[in-house]
Amino acid sequence: MKESEVFLKKQKLANESFKIQSTSQGGELRNEIFGNKIFVRAVIEVSNFCRQNCCYCGMRRDNRQLNRFRLSAEMLREIIFEQLPSSVTDINLQAGEDPIAVREIILPLIQEIKRETSLGISVCLGTLDASLYAALKEAGASYYILKLETGNAEHYQKIQAPGNFHRRLETIRHLAETGWFVSSGFILGLPYQTQAHVEETIDLLSDLPLAGGSVSPFIPGDQTPYSKEPIASLDEVLKCVARLRLKNPHWIIPAVSAMNLVGSRGYTQALKAGANLVTINLTPEIQRNDYLLYKRNRFIMSETRVLKAIEEAQCEPSSESMIHFLQTKPFLPVMV
Ligand code: 5AD
């Protein structure tokens, strides 16, 4: 489809996305833009040290009960160079906001991955100095994931999301201006979130210079101030996946493992609603349990599980990496 056609389609659908009929419209549009191909990435959670104190997240600095870890370079090398599942085309290195791990472990690792493989390299490492972003990019990373969590400034402050809202937006823009593909996203069902916040968030994300965006269901996190709050609704999450797709046809939209915690077959249903990226978790089990995003018993996606979900959604794994796709078929961020 030509870019001008994508633009027209996007304008048309954006107006309709509020009263979306069925979430399967999202899957249909994904198929038009990407075929039925789903990108397959692996994630490794490199460190759970974090200097932020988000109310919703178990890795917040005030959680003194958590064992903190950083994976060793040897372990990371073993996972990436010896144990990578064959369907994986992209790797995402993720951590709490831990600049030491970035400098000492992640930067040299990215240089090695770049030298030894053709994997696309994504990172999700929080807010860092501009010089560190530049070093990561120079080392070979291409895709930066920086979640907004909520698109409302007051709500952002209330939930103690990282830093402040305006800096977060500036950072997203800075990353895009300096050549990164940027992905952001939000958590649906957060305490104090209103329907108006959700609308504001979807609109704001759709206006940012993003290559991708996500919606994660809120899961009341163990050892957080929100541990007794209600969990998100899967139907609402799926509607948001479809709406993000309809408003942003060219976006990379992940199915997230927490979707399986909020309802049956949530992950597969997210693919049916228009998601086009799955993630295999390769963090070793011992450390994985301390990567406390919300609960110790997360739903862990293995290669078998993601491939099954792709098949159930009548899709196929992409043999092309997400980064190669973005570099060779660039869709300019289209503003509505
Ligand atoms: N529920 C859902 N997602 C969460 N995250 C952190 N805590 C929670 C939670 N309680 C997600 C956020 C964050 C990422 C690291 O994990 O989106 O950006």
Side-chain angles (χ1 to χ4, degrees):
M1 189 184 287
K2 284 208 295 290
E3 199 171 317
S4 53
E5 293 171 49
V6 172
F7 176 71
L8 285 177
K9 182 141 206 158
K10 177 170 171 173
Q11 269 194 323
K12 185 161 164 282
L13 291 167
N15 300 331
E16 288 165 10
S17 68
F18 205 115
K19 42 182 166 39
I20 169 173
Q21 306 287 309
S22 151
T23 56
S24 62
Q25 287 173 275
E28 285 156 23
L29 181 58
R30 184 265 330 278
N31 285 349
E32 273 182 54
I33 308 280
F34 292 87
N36 63 348
K37 295 286 188 288
I38 306 293
F39 296 109
V40 181
R41 76 177 166 190
V43 66
I44 309 178
E45 292 142 344
V46 178
S47 159
N48 71 349
F49 283 85
C50 191
R51 62 183 176 186
Q52 297 292 348
N53 207 31
C54 311
C55 289
Y56 46 87
C57 183
M59 296 196 302
R60 63 205 307 271
R61 65 169 183 269
D62 279 357
N63 184 2
R64 312 258 175 232
Q65 284 153 278
L66 192 61
N67 286 323
R68 303 282 170 167
F69 70 85
R70 292 187 182 113
L71 293 184
S72 68
E74 297 75 62
M75 182 165 269
L76 287 161
R77 269 193 221 110
E78 155 106 22
I79 298 167
I80 296 168
F81 301 120
E82 318 277 339
Q83 300 174 1
L84 202 69
S86 59
S87 58
V88 169
T89 59
D90 291 77
I91 187 124
N92 178 26
L93 301 172
Q94 190 166 311
E97 200 167 290
D98 179 9
I100 296 176
V102 176
R103 268 191 224 99
E104 295 183 2
I105 307 170
I106 294 171
L107 265 176
L109 180 68
I110 290 175
Q111 285 163 344
E112 219 173 315
I113 298 172
K114 190 74 188 170
R115 207 166 50 232
E116 307 280 328
T117 76
S118 57
L119 292 166
I121 306 173
S122 303
V123 291
C124 180
L125 303 168
T127 34
L128 305 168
D129 285 351
S131 61
L132 210 41
Y133 293 139
L136 285 162
K137 193 151 160 297
E138 175 71 26
S142 315
Y143 196 89
Y144 206 102
I145 302 162
L146 194 70
K147 307 273 183 80
L148 198 54
E149 315 295 22
T150 175
N152 178 276
E154 278 150 46
H155 187 221
Y156 191 94
Q157 197 176 1
K158 177 95 180 155
I159 61 174
Q160 291 179 217
N164 79 63
F165 183 72
H166 296 286
R167 279 284 320 275
R168 195 83 165 173
L169 286 176
E170 268 171 31
T171 306
I172 289 172
R173 294 198 175 98
H174 168 79
L175 287 164
E177 277 160 16
T178 53
W180 287 91
F181 296 115
V182 187
S183 179
S184 190
F186 72 106
I187 304 179
L188 186 77
L190 277 165
Y192 313 108
Q193 187 177 53
T194 64
Q195 191 55 37
H197 291 159
V198 175
E199 302 310 323
E200 213 178 332
T201 303
I202 292 178
D203 288 347
L204 177 56
L205 287 172
S206 304
D207 280 344
L208 286 168
L210 298 175
S214 66
V215 49
S216 309
F218 170 72
I219 314 283
D222 290 345
Q223 299 166 22
T224 71
Y226 295 164
S227 62
K228 304 265 164 12
E229 299 289 334
I231 196 164
S233 128
L234 179 60
D235 280 351
E236 295 304 314
V237 171
L238 295 173
K239 269 190 223 156
C240 286
V241 171
R243 290 181 60 190
L244 287 180
R245 171 61 65 209
L246 296 182
K247 274 177 90 77
N248 306 280
H250 57 282
W251 266 11
I252 307 288
I253 300 179
V256 307
S257 59
M259 287 164 178
N260 274 338
L261 287 180
V262 288
S264 160
R265 303 220 164 287
Y267 203 86
T268 301
Q269 294 198 62
L271 294 175
K272 289 187 173 167
N276 65 335
L277 170 64
V278 294
T279 309
I280 300 172
N281 190 305
L282 296 183
T283 312
E285 194 176 338
I286 298 173
Q287 285 85 4
R288 206 164 61 202
N289 286 328
D290 286 325
Y291 201 82
L292 191 62
L293 286 179
Y294 33 85
K295 284 189 190 311
R296 288 197 189 274
N297 52 349
R298 279 191 281 163
F299 199 99
I300 298 301
M301 296 309 288
S302 59
E303 184 182 43
T304 313
R305 282 177 171 168
V306 301
L307 294 180
K308 184 156 175 263
I310 291 173
E311 199 181 318
E312 283 171 353
Q314 275 110 44
C315 291
E316 286 171 32
S318 168
S319 54
E320 181 183 21
S321 81
M322 182 181 91
I323 297 303
H324 189 264
F325 177 90
L326 289 169
Q327 282 168 344
T328 53
K329 302 171 195 63
F331 295 101
L332 294 173
V334 184
M335 308 297 171
V336 180

